[in-house]
């Protein structure tokens, strides 16, 4: 399974804003973006005029990096989005938002999407009562995600609960921390997705 294994803080610097890829570190004074909020590389501080293509590319890269998806899979989400009724850009973001690893993160069961991906791969969650280990699995309305009994007893889960227990859960999800169960109340709207992504630029890029 292909995934990016490089330095993720460079991604935030390249896009010019925080992508919150390192969990609690992104909120602390130790975040590299705070000290070096410019693009990496020897020419990172040089201001350059960005072309139309450059804006479109940055929009695509930002979305890919938010969700930890590589190019091939990202384009497949775009193809799926174009076949659905409505705006392709918004459809694509909804699909990305409904990935199991993202939902685990949104429910406050992981510090970051990367950590959520790893926890799903390690069989720490159940979907509708059945163990799953596919981070890219798309959830649907009415699905329930529960924490495995073994994982909820671990020190790792207790640390996550302490760090993320008070984090707000989106309106389209419901998390019951007494039963360790989250539910997809409805499918997300564009207003529910609080990411700095200009999806129409991605559509323009792929439509060329």
């Amino acid at each position: 399974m292909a995934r990016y294994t490089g330095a993720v803080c460079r991604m935030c610097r390249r896009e010019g804003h925080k992508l919150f890829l390192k969990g609690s570190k992104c909120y602390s004074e130790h975040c590299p973006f705070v000290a070096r909020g410019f693009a990496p590389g020897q020419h990172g501080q040089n201001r350059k005029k960005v072309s139309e293509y450059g804006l479109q590319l940055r929009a695509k890269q930002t979305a890919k990096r938010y969700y930890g998806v590589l190019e091939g899979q990202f384009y497949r989400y775009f193809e799926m989005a174009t076949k659905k009724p409505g705006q392709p850009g918004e459809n694509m973001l909804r699909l990305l938002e409904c990935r199991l690893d993202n939902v685990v993160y949104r429910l406050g069961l992981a510090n970051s999407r990367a950590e959520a991906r790893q926890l799903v791969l390690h069989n720490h969650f159940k979907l509708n009562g059945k163990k799953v280990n596919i981070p890219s699995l798309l959830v649907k309305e009415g699905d329930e995600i529960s924490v495995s009994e073994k994982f909820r007893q671990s020190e790792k889960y207790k640390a996550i609960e302490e760090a993320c227990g008070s984090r707000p859960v989106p309106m389209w999800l419901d998390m019951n921390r007494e039963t360790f169960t989250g539910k997809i109340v409805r499918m997300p709207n564009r207003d529910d997705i609080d990411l700095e992504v200009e999806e129409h630029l991605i559509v323009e890029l792929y439509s060329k």
Side-chain angles (χ1 to χ4, degrees):
M1 184 182 296
R3 62 188 180 90
Y4 176 80
T5 58
V8 296
C9 291
R10 289 172 63 90
M11 294 182 177
C12 300
R13 293 175 58 202
R14 182 62 188 88
E15 301 309 331
H17 55 86
K18 289 189 179 185
L19 303 176
F20 300 98
L21 304 177
K22 294 285 285 185
S24 57
K25 182 179 180 180
C26 299
Y27 299 93
S28 72
E29 60 184 10
H30 303 294
C31 175
F33 186 81
V34 176
R36 295 175 291 171
F38 49 85
Q42 63 178 346
H43 303 298
Q45 298 186 65
N46 296 339
R47 293 189 176 184
K48 297 181 180 179
K49 183 178 180 181
V50 182
S51 65
E52 180 183 359
Y53 172 78
L55 291 173
Q56 295 168 350
L57 179 62
R58 295 269 59 85
K60 183 191 74 168
Q61 294 296 88
T62 296
K64 284 170 53 180
R65 290 167 173 175
Y66 265 129
Y67 292 100
V69 178
L70 298 184
E71 178 62 31
Q73 192 174 29
F74 189 81
Y75 185 70
R76 286 194 290 274
Y77 284 122
F78 174 76
E79 289 185 316
M80 293 170 61
T82 58
K83 297 176 183 178
K84 294 178 175 290
Q87 298 294 325
E90 293 185 11
N91 290 340
M92 182 177 61
L93 288 182
R94 289 192 191 99
L95 289 170
L96 290 165
E97 198 70 12
C98 288
R99 283 173 55 98
L100 180 58
D101 54 358
N102 179 74
V103 173
V104 167
Y105 167 71
R106 291 292 197 185
L107 288 170
L109 298 174
N111 286 290
S112 65
R113 290 179 178 85
E115 184 178 61
R117 176 192 179 102
Q118 184 182 54
L119 294 175
V120 171
L121 285 170
H122 290 176
N123 284 298
H124 289 317
F125 301 100
K126 295 181 180 180
L127 180 63
N128 298 325
K130 297 181 180 180
K131 282 190 175 182
V132 289
N133 61 355
I134 306 174
S136 61
L137 189 70
L138 296 178
V139 301
K140 56 185 182 296
E141 184 176 335
D143 283 349
E144 288 189 349
I145 298 169
S146 56
V147 183
S148 68
E149 185 173 352
K150 182 178 180 181
F151 182 50
R152 71 178 71 159
Q153 302 297 330
S154 68
E155 293 300 319
K156 175 67 173 178
Y157 179 77
K158 293 176 183 177
I160 292 174
E161 181 70 16
E162 182 178 351
C164 308
S166 60
R167 195 169 71 202
V169 175
M171 296 293 292
W172 61 283
L173 299 173
D174 179 65
M175 181 64 199
N176 188 328
R177 298 199 174 274
E178 293 183 0
T179 60
F180 306 96
T181 303
K183 184 175 183 179
I184 290 77
V185 179
R186 58 174 173 79
M187 303 310 288
N189 299 318
R190 181 60 183 94
D191 294 339
D192 297 317
I193 306 173
D194 57 345
L195 303 181
E196 295 183 37
V197 177
E198 296 183 74
E199 63 273 11
H200 68 279
L201 294 178
I202 303 174
V203 176
E204 291 174 5
L205 178 65
Y206 279 139
S207 299
K208 289 183 176 180

